[in-house]
Amino acid sequence: MNDRQLRPVYLIGMGGSAYALWYFYSVGETLLAVAFAVLTVFCVVRLRKLSTDT
């Protein structure tokens, strides 16, 4: 996949992970919230790395 195709994937991943993070944190599932926080940070880092390469 090229850069133009990966950007929406990372944006959707960030949005979905952030929503799941909020949901699991609000219902008290801390372990799952932490897992989605890590996934959200991973997507942000990968998107930033992709943006700085172009």
Side-chain angles (χ1 to χ4, degrees), residues 24-49:
F24 286 119
Y25 184 75
S26 68
V27 297
E29 292 289 335
T30 309
L31 185 61
L32 286 171
V34 168
F36 280 105
V38 169
L39 184 60
T40 303
V41 169
F42 172 77
C43 287
V44 168
V45 168
R46 291 292 298 169
L47 183 63
R48 287 196 50 123
K49 188 174 183 180

Side-chain angles (χ1 to χ4, degrees), residues 10-27:
Y10 287 130
L11 290 173
I12 290 170
M14 284 185 335
S17 296
Y19 176 76
L21 166 65
W22 167 79
Y23 174 77
F24 286 119
Y25 184 75
S26 68
V27 297

Side-chain angles (χ1 to χ4, degrees), residues 3 7 44-54:
D3 294 349
R7 284 180 206 271
V44 168
V45 168
R46 291 292 298 169
L47 183 63
R48 287 196 50 123
K49 188 174 183 180
L50 182 72
S51 297
T52 57
D53 286 345
T54 55

